[in-house]
Amino acid sequence: IEMESNYKRTIFSWSMYDFANQPFTTLIITFIYSTYFVKAIAPDEIIGTVLWSRGITITAIVVALISPLMGAIADQGGYRKLFLIFWTWVCIIGSFFSFYALPGEITKALFWVVLANIGFEMGGVFCNAYLPHIAPKEKIGRISGYGWSFGYVGGLVALVIVMLLFVNAETPAFGFSAENGENIRATNLLVAIWFAIFSIPTFLWVKDKPISQRVSLSLIRSSYGQIKNTFREIRKYKQTSRFLIARILYNDGLITIFSFGGIYAAGTFGFTFDEIMIFGIVLNVTAGLGAFMFGFLDDKIGGKNTVQLSNLGLIIACLLAVFTTSKTVFWIAGILIGICSGPNQASSRSLMSRFTPKDKQNEFFGFFAFSGKATAFVGPMMLGILT
């Protein structure tokens, strides 16, 4: 009974990390701050979109470069929990200080958002690496799905709070004013506080092995050697490398949708701020439901089939969004993107967990992050150029 309750507490505490960090993506990257940046901080929406795409590009390059090495160091020295806490706080601090960037202060806004985004992505590497460690093989799909659906609930609740207290309030809460978009920028403070509070269960109750060796040049060297070995032995991990190459392609599309969904709705379909918020709420509800329901399907039909099913849905949704001039059809496309994006991410994570060798979990999830970011700047950069 005690083991059962410990197992449940571990799964719940691990899922809480997704609940804690999702408002960062929902509020800052996809819906509120990105739209505010292009409309108010940048001189105009076209320049704003280009600059925002450069910020996302920088994040992608940095994460691609450092995630495999940090993953290998975590494996060799037992630093997974420490790195998870460190990068979480990088995201919290970046989110907090991005509040202080006023209209016109482009460099300041982008510096803090990029720093926070790097912290967010790197935190995800070490959180994801726990999945094969805590989930039994036959339940990996649904447990990954629990995490993602928890995440979308977190994003949704935070979005509703922000709408009621700051964005749509006659007089914004806690003495914030509507001057210089202070009520919109206050969103970033809420994200920082939210992440700081709700990540605590993960830090306390998801157990890890103790730190086995101090960070030193020799540890970094041997970790670097471990990565080189993995690359040398990649033939052994044929399915893993095929999957990671495939993920490089389909994840680029997803990152571009997330980075520019709100901006596209505002620029192309003339969505007002309120409509973007409702759009965000609908997307979070559908993505959460999709991740939860498809998690069970994942355990039945396998991760690969679930990912392919969601990719097909995303292709259809994007084609609809591009070729329509009707707001209604755009809404349908958005709902389809929501339903498919949750399972796409949750099943990618569960599939990776099934491929990961026990002694290289952090390193392999470093490569997973690398595959998610290696060319992730291409989509946003192309969109920036085309815009």
Side-chain angles (χ1 to χ4, degrees):
I1 290 167
E2 193 184 336
M3 269 184 72
E4 178 65 19
S5 72
N6 275 349
Y7 164 72
K8 281 184 174 161
R9 188 174 72 178
T10 301
I11 300 299
F12 173 77
S13 306
W14 177 79
S15 300
M16 278 303 286
Y17 193 81
D18 279 336
F19 182 85
N21 75 1
Q22 184 64 30
F24 173 80
T25 304
T26 305
L27 302 180
I28 294 181
I29 300 297
T30 306
F31 291 112
I32 295 185
Y33 197 71
S34 58
T35 311
Y36 176 74
F37 178 85
V38 300
K39 287 194 166 202
I41 294 180
D44 66 57
E45 287 185 27
I46 290 176
I47 292 170
T49 304
V50 172
L51 292 171
W52 188 260
S53 78
R54 283 187 192 151
I56 302 289
T57 303
I58 291 165
T59 302
I61 292 168
V62 172
V63 172
L65 290 173
I66 64 175
S67 53
L69 182 61
M70 288 202 80
I73 292 170
D75 281 327
Q76 297 245 326
Y79 281 94
R80 176 164 49 189
K81 177 73 73 74
L82 194 71
F83 285 169
L84 178 66
I85 295 170
F86 171 77
W87 287 112
T88 298
W89 275 92
V90 168
C91 182
I92 291 165
I93 290 162
S95 303
F96 186 86
F97 281 106
S98 59
F99 164 76
Y100 294 101
L102 297 170
E105 297 186 327
I106 293 167
T107 312
K108 193 195 231 178
L110 280 179
F111 173 79
W112 289 115
V113 166
V114 167
L115 186 73
N117 204 6
I118 291 167
F120 167 82
E121 294 290 351
M122 290 301 298
V125 171
F126 298 105
C127 176
N128 290 344
Y130 278 104
L131 182 59
H133 174 74
I134 62 168
K137 266 271 194 294
E138 71 284 359
K139 288 185 180 171
I140 277 182
R142 74 191 67 175
I143 288 170
S144 182
Y146 291 157
W148 279 110
S149 52
F150 258 55
Y152 287 113
V153 170
L156 181 65
V157 174
L159 190 56
V160 171
I161 291 171
V162 162
M163 292 286 294
L164 296 176
L165 293 186
F166 302 124
V167 177
N168 270 1
E170 288 285 309
T171 49
F174 309 118
F176 289 109
S177 76
E179 208 174 308
N180 280 335
E182 197 179 67
N183 58 327
I184 311 283
R185 290 183 289 117
T187 303
N188 298 17
L189 296 179
L190 178 104
V191 167
I193 294 162
W194 183 284
F195 203 179
I197 292 168
F198 291 114
S199 57
I200 291 169
T202 314
F203 301 155
L204 289 182
W205 291 316
V206 178
K207 295 282 178 272
D208 210 345
K209 58 183 185 186
I211 289 172
S212 53
Q213 56 186 110
R214 286 179 45 202
V215 170
S216 60
L217 268 176
S218 70
L219 174 63
I220 292 168
R221 264 195 225 106
S222 71
S223 303
Y224 186 64
Q226 183 182 315
I227 291 177
K228 280 187 5 200
N229 268 345
T230 304
F231 267 119
R232 258 193 239 108
E233 295 171 358
I234 210 82
R235 277 189 213 90
K236 272 194 216 165
Y237 307 115
K238 205 173 274 177
Q239 295 304 328
T240 315
S241 41
R242 280 179 190 165
F243 166 56
L244 291 177
I245 290 163
R247 184 169 177 263
I248 281 176
L249 300 172
Y250 70 76
N251 200 58
D252 277 7
L254 207 54
I255 283 173
T256 311
I257 294 171
F258 285 158
S259 305
F260 295 95
I263 292 170
Y264 184 70
T268 308
F269 287 90
F271 271 46
T272 63
F273 221 82
D274 288 355
E275 284 178 310
I276 286 174
M277 295 305 98
I278 297 161
F279 190 57
I281 289 168
V282 170
L283 248 69
N284 272 280
V285 171
T286 51
L289 286 170
F292 185 76
M293 292 184 305
F294 275 73
F296 290 91
L297 188 70
D298 180 320
D299 288 330
K300 288 268 191 304
I301 67 169
K304 179 192 168 179
N305 290 334
T306 312
V307 169
Q308 289 295 65
L309 206 61
S310 63
N311 277 337
L312 189 64
L314 287 165
I315 291 165
I316 293 164
C318 287
L319 287 171
L320 279 177
V322 168
F323 288 110
T324 188
T325 50
S326 150
K327 247 188 192 180
T328 313
V329 177
F330 181 72
W331 267 100
I332 293 166
I335 289 164
L336 189 54
I337 284 170
I339 291 166
C340 296
S341 62
N344 190 283
Q345 293 165 299
S347 295
S348 295
R349 179 164 72 179
S350 73
L351 190 55
M352 187 66 193
S353 296
R354 291 181 171 103
F355 287 146
T356 303
K358 266 280 181 278
D359 57 332
K360 293 185 174 184
Q361 286 164 357
N362 296 292
E363 182 191 352
F364 267 59
F365 272 100
F367 282 121
F368 184 69
F370 177 80
S371 83
K373 290 283 167 279
T375 60
F377 59 89
V378 175
M381 189 171 77
M382 289 288 288
L383 198 92
I385 291 164
L386 292 169
T387 304

